[in-house]
């Protein structure tokens, strides 16, 4: 070509093609108009394309694949899950997915247990009928009346209250809240089935713990009988408990209360102030020797693996509430700490109301893994 403006334009075009090669694009000999058309199309598509998805797979600074999440006000920030986190997430998803299967298995076990109890009851009834016939007593053949001595004992409501203080929601991890929800369920079950039961309440009930009961546990606590869920703290719950223990529905002085307090029943029933409010904590310098009628016993509903040592004791002292600890050290020798789960504390007191013996109550309730033995049984 002749010298002029044309060669300079060609040099400019060659420079742009070299630039594309440096940026990693594939260089192909094409006509000039094709390159210009492609540039126009790219520009139009970039201006009209919608925003990128909020989540996209990218690479982190170390070159590892991760989950990239776009945040408002920033171009892009990346969150990478480790292998352990992925494994935990997978296990949690598998656990949630198998919930219906576990529910069906529980129902099957409950049904089998009922059938075994029914068979044992019928066997005991038959044996009682045979014994009565041999002694010349009235038999129960061709009769709907069940023999005495094999009937289940009716649960007796006592004028005593257990308050579970749930105001530790922000101090527990997710796995600890799961454990606490199971412990609260066990507290209700033990009290509901006990031969001598107490008024039961869960105070400061809210936060993530309540969300678990409402959502993950499908709100089954709404069908519980004989338990109250309160938003107020343990002091307010203790004041309300005085009203629960009054009147005909307040309970009767039976079980361990029958012998010692029976003669005081009219006076005590009229004045529930004769009872006391005690916050149970292993950090207390005082030891509980007995349970008193018309009294309220507060149990801290917390699982913290001893991260917040003494928090229940401090909480009670700040509100001017009396504290005490169960006399486990007086009756048992332990190979581990004397700290017990919330449901174990409640069950031990229910056992005392039935048996009147702390040693026997501890022996029946304290888990075997703690290696507890009664002191008088030591060799």
């Amino acid at each position: 070509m002749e010298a002029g403006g044309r060669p300079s334009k060609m040099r400019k075009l060659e420079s742009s093609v070299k630039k594309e090669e440096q940026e990693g694009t594939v260089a192909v000999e094409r006509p000039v108009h094709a390159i210009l058309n492609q540039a126009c199309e790219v520009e139009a598509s970039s201006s009209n394309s919608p925003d990128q998805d909020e989540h996209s797979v990218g690479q982190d600074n170390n070159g590892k694949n991760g989950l990239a999440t776009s945040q408002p006000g920033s171009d892009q920030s990346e969150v990478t899950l480790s292998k352990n986190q992925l494994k935990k997430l997978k296990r949690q998803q598998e656990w949630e997915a198998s919930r219906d299967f576990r529910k069906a298995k529980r129902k099957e076990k409950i049904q089998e247990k009922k059938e075994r109890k029914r068979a044992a009851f019928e066997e005991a009834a038959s044996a009682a009928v045979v014994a009565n016939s041999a002694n010349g007593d009235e038999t129960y053949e061709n009769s709907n009346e069940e023999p005495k001595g094999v009937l289940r004992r009716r649960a007796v409501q006592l004028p005593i209250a257990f308050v579970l203080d749930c105001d530790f929601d922000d101090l527990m991890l997710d796995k600890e809240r799961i454990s606490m929800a199971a412990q609260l369920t066990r507290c209700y079950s033990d009290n509901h089935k006990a031969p001598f039961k107490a008024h039961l309440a869960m105070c400061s009930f809210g936060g993530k713990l309540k969300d678990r009961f409402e959502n993950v546990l499908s709100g089954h606590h709404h069908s519980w009988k004989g338990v109250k869920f309160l938003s107020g703290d343990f002091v307010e719950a203790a004041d309300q408990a005085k009203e629960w223990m009054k009147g005909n529905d307040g309970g009767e002085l039976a079980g361990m209360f029958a012998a010692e307090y029976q003669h005081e029943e009219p006076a005590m029933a009229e004045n529930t102030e004769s009872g006391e409010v005690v916050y149970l904590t292993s950090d207390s310098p005082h030891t509980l020797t007995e349970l008193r009628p018309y009294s309220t016993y507060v149990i801290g509903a917390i699982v913290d693996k001893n991260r917040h040592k003494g928090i229940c004791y401090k909480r009670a002292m700040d509100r001017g509430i009396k504290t005490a600890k169960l006399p486990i050290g007086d009756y048992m020798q332990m190979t581990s700490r004397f700290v017990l789960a919330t449901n174990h504390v409640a069950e031990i007191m229910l056992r005392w109301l039935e048996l009147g013996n702390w040693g026997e109550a501890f022996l029946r309730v304290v888990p075997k893994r703690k290696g507890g033995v009664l002191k008088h049984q030591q060799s």
Side-chain angles (χ1 to χ4, degrees):
M1 294 183 180
E2 295 180 358
R6 188 68 174 177
S8 63
K9 291 182 179 181
M10 292 298 295
R11 285 195 298 272
K12 184 176 180 181
L13 181 62
E14 291 175 357
S15 176
S16 64
V17 172
K18 289 181 180 179
K19 185 176 180 181
E20 290 180 358
E21 292 178 351
Q22 292 176 356
E23 291 177 353
T25 59
V26 179
V28 181
E29 294 184 359
R30 293 172 293 175
V32 177
H33 70 275
I35 296 176
L36 294 176
N37 290 338
Q38 183 182 12
C40 293
E41 291 175 0
V42 171
E43 183 179 0
S45 63
S46 62
S47 62
N48 298 329
S49 61
D51 296 338
Q52 294 182 349
D53 294 339
E54 184 179 0
H55 300 285
S56 60
V57 177
Q59 289 187 338
D60 58 13
N61 296 331
N62 297 326
K64 298 181 181 179
N65 290 334
L67 182 65
T69 306
S70 61
Q71 299 291 343
S74 62
D75 294 336
Q76 190 179 42
S77 61
E78 299 175 353
V79 178
T80 304
L81 295 178
S82 65
K83 290 183 178 180
N84 288 336
Q85 289 174 327
L86 290 173
K87 289 180 180 179
K88 290 181 180 179
L89 181 60
K90 182 179 179 181
R91 286 197 298 266
Q92 183 178 359
Q93 291 173 347
E94 291 175 350
W95 175 263
E96 296 295 339
S98 60
R99 184 183 303 167
D100 293 338
F101 174 77
R102 296 195 307 272
K103 184 177 180 180
K105 292 294 291 183
R106 285 196 299 269
K107 287 185 177 180
E108 183 179 346
K109 289 182 179 180
I110 292 174
Q111 186 61 31
E112 292 177 355
K113 185 177 181 180
K114 287 182 179 180
E115 292 178 356
R116 289 195 300 268
K117 285 185 176 181
R118 187 181 298 109
F121 180 84
E122 293 176 353
E123 183 178 354
S126 300
V129 169
V130 172
N132 290 334
S133 300
N135 295 331
D137 296 336
E138 179 185 0
T139 63
Y140 294 90
E141 296 178 354
N142 301 325
S143 174
N144 294 327
E145 184 179 0
E146 294 177 335
K148 296 181 179 179
V150 296
L151 293 175
R152 294 181 182 179
R153 183 165 49 181
R154 178 181 64 89
V156 178
Q157 177 69 64
L158 300 182
I160 189 172
F162 297 166
V163 174
L164 307 179
D165 184 9
C166 302
D167 196 16
F168 304 97
D169 188 76
D170 57 337
L171 301 180
M172 293 186 289
L173 306 175
D174 287 339
K175 62 180 180 180
E176 293 170 343
R177 292 190 192 93
I178 294 174
S179 176
M180 178 48 58
Q183 292 184 31
L184 296 179
T185 302
R186 183 62 183 269
C187 288
Y188 162 73
S189 177
D190 290 338
N191 187 65
H192 183 69
K193 297 177 181 178
F196 300 97
K197 61 182 181 179
H199 294 276
L200 184 64
M202 300 182 188
C203 67
S204 300
F205 189 69
K208 294 182 179 179
L209 183 63
K210 181 179 179 180
D211 290 341
R212 177 170 180 81
F213 273 95
E214 294 286 354
N215 300 318
V216 179
L217 301 180
S218 304
H220 64 80
H221 63 292
H222 294 299
S223 62
W224 290 359
K225 298 179 180 179
V227 59
K228 298 176 178 62
F229 296 90
L230 309 174
S231 59
D233 65 3
F234 65 97
V235 177
E236 297 177 14
D239 291 337
Q240 296 181 40
K242 296 177 182 179
E243 300 298 324
W244 305 339
M245 292 181 281
K246 290 181 179 179
N248 297 330
D249 297 331
E252 56 183 281
L253 295 178
M256 288 307 302
F257 296 157
E260 187 171 357
Y261 298 99
Q262 190 69 43
H263 61 284
E264 302 178 9
E265 181 173 7
M268 296 184 71
E270 293 177 0
N271 183 19
T272 56
E273 299 294 336
S274 58
E276 57 185 359
V277 179
V278 182
Y279 204 122
L280 297 175
T281 169
S282 59
D283 299 305
S284 175
H286 308 290
T287 301
L288 191 68
T289 57
E290 64 174 357
L291 302 180
R292 292 179 53 84
Y294 302 101
S295 297
T296 300
Y297 297 91
V298 185
I299 308 172
I302 180 173
V303 177
D304 65 341
K305 303 301 181 183
N306 208 31
R307 293 194 309 273
H308 306 283
K309 185 174 177 61
I311 187 171
C312 292
Y313 177 72
K314 183 178 183 302
R315 181 172 170 81
M317 295 302 294
D318 290 343
R319 302 301 300 273
I321 300 298
K322 180 181 178 181
T323 65
K325 60 184 176 182
L326 295 179
I328 185 171
D330 298 339
Y331 291 87
M332 297 197 75
Q333 182 68 37
M334 306 280 286
T335 58
S336 62
R337 297 186 304 137
F338 288 161
V339 179
L340 299 173
T342 301
N343 61 293
H344 291 152
V345 176
E347 186 179 0
I348 287 171
M349 292 194 294
L350 290 172
R351 289 293 187 180
W352 186 90
L353 292 174
E354 176 186 1
L355 305 171
N357 186 305
W358 286 115
E360 185 66 21
F362 290 131
L363 194 61
R364 292 195 184 189
V365 177
V366 174
K368 300 295 183 183
R369 65 177 182 275
K370 289 185 173 290
V373 294
L374 293 179
K375 289 186 174 181
H376 69 270
Q377 292 181 351
Q378 289 181 306
S379 57

